[in-house]
Amino acid sequence: MVIPKLTRDLPHPFSMDGVVRKDDTLQAKAVREAVTNMVIHSDFMVNGVLKVEKYDDCFVLTNPGLLKLPIEQIYKGGESKARNQRMQNMFRMIGYGENLGSGFPLILNAWNEKHWIKPELLEQPELMQVKLTLHIQNEPTNEPVNERQQTILSIMKQSPSIIREDLANKLGISLATLKRELTSLRKEGYITRSGSDKNGQWIVVSK
């Protein structure tokens, strides 16, 4: 019930497989994979709900529980640790779910094909949940718009655990100004964050 509602607004180029109309696309498969992952990786022993939000420019999928692999490894692929393996097997029997460790790379490839902003996977320990945002809009074609943002990215690469206050001090700017720059970098898909504000790490997304 959920997947058709999510995929109906995705591009569906008309094609024929013999005499059968074929509308499935890599992006539709990626959305199915994202929903499947949301279920098989959920921790149903903690408070929280499976939530799917659909906006004009993105999908947001949230599930209870924390990641069982580092975010960097999930983006890279090749490893899989499903929390609910029986559910995973059931989904695969009906054609949902990719080979182990290849699901998230499929999502990345599908979004890259359309030049959409890179999917953002965010772990939120304080809420005991994981959030995946799938933007349905094109990636920015330009480099960060100012020298300050380039400096921010450079510092984050060298010190992923740096907190906002220390970053603002290094740059010699106010915390409010830094927050505006971070919001811009997040929106354009240059950075994401793993973990809480105090104990998490910045992740600079390769373009």
Side-chain angles (χ1 to χ4, degrees), residues 158-170:
Q158 296 174 8
S159 305
S161 300
I162 191 169
I163 61 175
R164 289 177 175 84
E165 289 78 5
D166 290 345
L167 183 53
N169 289 335
K170 272 182 173 287

Side-chain angles (χ1 to χ4, degrees), residues 153-186:
L153 295 179
S154 177
I155 294 173
M156 286 179 173
K157 288 179 180 179
Q158 296 174 8
S159 305
S161 300
I162 191 169
I163 61 175
R164 289 177 175 84
E165 289 78 5
D166 290 345
L167 183 53
N169 289 335
K170 272 182 173 287
L171 294 167
I173 59 177
S174 68
L175 191 57
T177 299
L178 175 65
K179 287 180 177 179
R180 286 196 296 270
E181 297 285 20
L182 295 180
T183 298
S184 175
L185 288 169
R186 278 181 184 270

Side-chain angles (χ1 to χ4, degrees), residues 25-187:
T25 65
L26 188 57
Q27 290 71 43
K29 291 179 181 179
V31 170
R32 289 200 298 269
E33 183 67 23
V35 174
T36 299
N37 285 345
M38 180 182 67
V39 176
I40 67 176
H41 294 299
S42 290
D43 187 346
F44 297 106
M45 300 301 291
V46 301
N47 290 331
V49 295
L50 294 168
K51 184 167 62 174
V52 179
E53 301 168 275
K54 183 176 182 295
Y55 301 97
D56 290 339
D57 61 349
C58 69
F59 306 136
V60 181
L61 292 78
T62 308
N63 65 267
L66 301 179
L67 298 172
K68 299 191 73 175
L69 290 172
I71 285 183
E72 296 85 352
Q73 181 61 58
I74 295 173
Y75 273 85
K76 181 179 178 181
E79 299 288 340
S80 178
K81 288 187 178 181
R83 182 170 277 111
N84 304 296
Q85 292 185 356
R86 290 185 178 180
M87 287 186 179
Q88 183 181 44
N89 292 336
M90 292 170 63
F91 274 117
R92 295 188 71 189
M93 289 174 65
I94 60 172
Y96 281 49
E98 293 297 303
N99 294 328
L100 299 180
S102 63
F104 204 79
L106 167 70
I107 298 172
L108 296 177
N109 289 338
W111 254 240
N112 184 58
E113 181 183 79
K114 289 293 184 181
H115 303 290
W116 288 339
I117 293 174
K118 192 171 185 177
E120 181 181 2
L121 184 64
L122 180 64
E123 186 175 48
Q124 299 175 303
E126 66 279 6
L127 300 175
M128 286 299 291
Q129 69 180 21
V130 173
K131 178 182 291 186
L132 173 64
T133 303
L134 301 174
H135 301 277
I136 311 174
Q137 54 187 348
N138 289 340
E139 283 193 287
T141 56
N142 299 322
E143 292 297 313
V145 294
N146 59 52
E147 184 177 346
R148 181 189 291 157
Q149 290 183 351
Q150 294 176 4
T151 302
I152 290 172
L153 295 179
S154 177
I155 294 173
M156 286 179 173
K157 288 179 180 179
Q158 296 174 8
S159 305
S161 300
I162 191 169
I163 61 175
R164 289 177 175 84
E165 289 78 5
D166 290 345
L167 183 53
N169 289 335
K170 272 182 173 287
L171 294 167
I173 59 177
S174 68
L175 191 57
T177 299
L178 175 65
K179 287 180 177 179
R180 286 196 296 270
E181 297 285 20
L182 295 180
T183 298
S184 175
L185 288 169
R186 278 181 184 270
K187 183 177 180 180

